[in-house]
Amino acid sequence: MPQLFKNDKLKITLNKKGYNRYTKISFPVKYGIYSEIETKDYIFQFNANNEIIRAKGKNYTWINPSEWLKRTIGNDWIYYSTGGYTGVFESIGEYYLPNLQYPTNSLIGGKPFKEPDINNIITKWHSIIDKITKENKLLNHSDKFQTFIDKVLENSPKRLSEKSEQLIKISGRRVSVLPPDARHVDYDIIPVNISKGCLYNCKFCRVKTEEPFSLIKKDEILNQIKELKNLYGKDIVNYNSVFLGEHDALNAPSDLIMFAAEQSYSQFDFKHSYMESSNLFMFGSVDALLNKSTDDFDKFATLPYHIYINIGLESVDQETLDFLGKPLTSRKVIEAYKLIRNINIKYDNIEISSNFIMDDILPKNHYSSFFKLLEKECRLFKNKGDIYLSPLRINKPSREEIFKFNEIKIKSPVPTFLYIIQRL
Ligand code: SF4
């Protein structure tokens, strides 16, 4: 049961129960079990470890009352904006647009981090809470509310930054990109690396590690899971999703994928998560996909997860693939897309999405070959297997590219969205 403290300056609610199912809805939804401090000017929310996770301003200068800040486990602040309701849902499949503090490929969004109110929360949330709770004499040190405040203040910006460094240490390096389908769980995932690097080292790619593909041994995976369990701490109850990294987990042998998926499910105790159902995300390459057998996918389908696999196809046009420096033939891309469609039809709990590049500097056959493929392969099956379009150039919001995207989206027979590259 939530516990409440209230006076005329401060309201503290412990153990609030947010939504326990990820949903797409046009008003702000808060997930998981969290605690809240509300003052005249602000609302701050904290996870089960008493670490700040969300905040917003309450006065009239705050951009929009339904917009808020979220802090990730990687210690990034993200500003969720409505985008003025101008096509955000149509563009990204979500009602709120994540504005990121680092360079990304988003075509939409403003510059919210330049707003004084937003900057104020990011830089001063700790001293604001410190001041208001010290001024508030109604709390005494034996009180559970004071204990909560003490723990909140212990989790200072410095400590939270150190914790994100620990996460990077466990993973070996920062998770530079999350699969686009992770939007279905608001990117609330636990990253377990089962492999490093990737097969292709494509020229156009900005997230690659430039390291050849290699596998991580089972005992190291178990060690990661143990350390991640400690790091996520009590808040693990608010998680129901694992991301098997790094850039091509699908290229790992099936028994390693099964091992990591099963161990994650049991060690993170997803069965008893506050959040309903469990999800597994991974990236895969065209070759990894083509090398998997029906038996492999039959095995994956037995896992207690909804499995989202994201494959980077980039283009059906050979000239474009060469232009991008992606060492693939268009024949393989077509073969992979047919397989993606068949898997999406066959398995209820496996969904494969694909990425294509968009940009006005691409060779002219890029778009025509893309539509030809979709029209041919998706005539009878249209409701699963999102297509994500990723602008080639980063930090180049562009009206022309948005028009182009809308044109593609209207013509595309399958759900098509912009892929905003987000890290952990
Ligand atoms: S697009 Fe994928 S396969 Fe190509 S370099 Fe980037 S991570 Fe590696």
Side-chain angles (χ1 to χ4, degrees):
M1 280 292 287
Q3 298 159 305
L4 182 68
F5 166 89
K6 198 173 173 190
N7 69 14
D8 57 345
K9 288 205 186 114
L10 191 61
K11 183 173 153 191
I12 302 173
T13 318
L14 303 182
N15 305 320
K16 274 184 109 162
K17 289 193 168 174
Y19 271 48
N20 65 349
R21 173 178 277 274
Y22 289 100
T23 182
K24 318 268 180 217
I25 205 157
S26 63
F27 61 86
V29 167
K30 304 296 173 271
Y31 299 109
I33 300 170
Y34 61 95
S35 298
E36 186 174 88
I37 299 175
E38 183 170 357
T39 71
K40 184 169 73 57
D41 298 319
Y42 306 98
I43 294 176
F44 302 104
Q45 293 177 343
F46 303 84
N47 65 16
N49 298 327
N50 307 304
E51 297 155 340
I52 190 162
I53 44 163
R54 289 181 289 261
K56 64 182 272 191
K58 282 173 67 188
N59 63 34
Y60 71 95
T61 54
W62 188 252
I63 306 180
N64 180 319
S66 48
E67 299 183 353
W68 73 99
L69 279 160
K70 173 180 174 178
R71 193 189 64 85
T72 68
I73 184 110
N75 205 29
D76 283 325
W77 285 96
I78 299 174
Y79 185 75
Y80 283 82
S81 72
T82 60
Y85 295 104
T86 49
V88 168
F89 186 77
E90 290 74 15
S91 301
I92 62 167
E94 303 296 319
Y95 283 96
Y96 291 90
L97 174 72
N99 292 267
L100 309 171
Q101 280 187 295
Y102 46 87
T104 186
N105 60 349
S106 184
L107 289 178
I108 47 181
K111 296 194 174 2
F113 296 102
K114 294 211 157 133
E115 292 289 326
D117 278 6
I118 291 171
N119 194 39
N120 188 47
I121 286 189
I122 293 174
T123 54
K124 299 201 183 120
W125 66 268
H126 191 264
S127 52
I128 294 168
I129 294 171
D130 191 24
K131 186 162 179 278
I132 192 142
T133 51
K134 274 191 180 131
E135 280 168 6
N136 199 310
K137 304 290 180 213
L138 287 182
L139 298 172
N140 68 60
H141 283 274
S142 62
D143 194 288
K144 58 180 172 286
F145 295 99
Q146 183 63 50
T147 307
F148 163 68
I149 295 291
D150 290 344
K151 286 183 179 163
V152 161
L153 292 174
E154 272 169 30
N155 287 318
S156 63
K158 183 168 176 282
R159 186 181 276 197
L160 295 175
S161 163
E162 285 164 3
K163 189 161 176 177
S164 73
E165 292 299 321
Q166 263 175 278
L167 177 66
I168 293 171
K169 209 167 152 204
I170 296 169
S171 301
R173 59 182 148 235
R174 181 158 211 155
V175 177
S176 60
V177 57
L178 289 166
D181 304 300
R183 69 187 175 87
H184 297 307
V185 298
D186 202 20
Y187 299 90
D188 291 334
I189 53 89
I190 304 177
V192 175
N193 277 343
I194 64 168
S195 65
K196 289 184 197 164
C198 64
L199 293 179
Y200 303 143
N201 196 16
C202 314
K203 199 173 76 195
F204 78 97
C205 177
R206 283 190 173 78
V207 295
K208 65 190 169 203
T209 55
E210 300 195 6
E211 192 179 322
F213 180 85
S214 64
L215 296 171
I216 295 180
K217 293 196 178 77
K218 284 185 179 174
D219 57 342
E220 286 175 48
I221 293 172
L222 282 180
N223 206 32
Q224 266 185 79
I225 291 175
K226 193 170 135 227
E227 290 184 24
L228 287 163
K229 195 176 165 186
N230 276 338
L231 187 86
Y232 279 68
K234 286 186 184 161
D235 199 45
I236 211 147
V237 74
N238 284 322
Y239 286 81
N240 65 354
S241 303
V242 63
F243 163 50
L244 297 186
E246 195 174 38
H247 297 311
D248 192 0
L250 188 64
N251 197 44
S254 297
D255 84 297
L256 195 70
I257 296 173
M258 295 293 288
F259 173 80
E262 283 162 352
Q263 287 295 327
S264 297
Y265 188 84
S266 63
Q267 302 293 324
F268 298 143
D269 199 15
F270 284 151
K271 193 172 177 186
H272 298 108
S273 167
Y274 176 72
M275 300 303 296
E276 276 182 16
S277 72
S278 301
N279 307 283
L280 182 148
F281 299 92
M282 61 181 148
F283 285 115
S285 63
V286 164
D287 281 282
L289 178 70
L290 294 176
N291 288 334
K292 287 279 175 288
S293 65
T294 306
D295 278 359
D296 292 325
F297 283 100
D298 286 348
K299 266 193 250 167
F300 296 159
T302 64
L303 287 167
Y305 291 102
H306 190 95
I307 299 169
Y308 294 93
I309 304 169
N310 178 254
I311 310 283
L313 298 179
E314 325 310 352
S315 182
V316 194
D317 173 46
Q318 190 62 56
E319 193 188 345
T320 308
L321 290 167
D322 296 343
F323 174 84
L324 295 171
K326 182 128 195 152
L328 276 180
T329 60
S330 69
R331 187 188 54 77
K332 265 194 176 175
V333 172
I334 294 168
E335 213 183 314
Y337 194 76
K338 284 182 182 167
L339 184 55
I340 288 172
R341 188 210 50 185
N342 291 342
I343 291 167
N344 282 338
I345 292 172
K346 183 170 177 191
Y347 301 97
D348 283 343
N349 68 329
I350 303 180
E351 180 158 0
I352 306 191
S353 61
S354 45
N355 299 338
F356 286 85
I357 291 286
M358 67 175 287
D359 206 296
D360 55 15
I361 58 171
L362 296 175
K364 68 176 179 13
N365 286 334
H366 171 63
Y367 293 114
S368 54
S369 56
F370 169 76
F371 285 120
K372 209 167 139 197
L373 175 77
L374 296 192
E375 275 154 25
K376 188 156 177 252
E377 301 304 334
C378 302
R379 209 167 294 144
L380 297 174
F381 188 75
K382 304 178 176 181
N383 297 324
K384 209 171 149 203
D386 294 349
I387 285 187
Y388 292 97
L389 290 170
S390 185
L392 185 56
R393 289 171 289 179
I394 63 163
N395 267 10
K396 289 256 180 254
S398 148
R399 192 178 283 263
E400 290 73 36
E401 285 292 285
I402 280 287
F403 283 142
K404 183 76 195 169
F405 166 73
N406 286 334
E407 191 194 325
I408 298 169
K409 186 175 172 77
I410 290 164
K411 279 197 205 164
S412 170
V414 285
T416 301
F417 302 104
L418 285 174
Y419 180 6
I420 300 176
I421 290 180
Q422 194 164 319
R423 70 186 186 186
L424 188 64

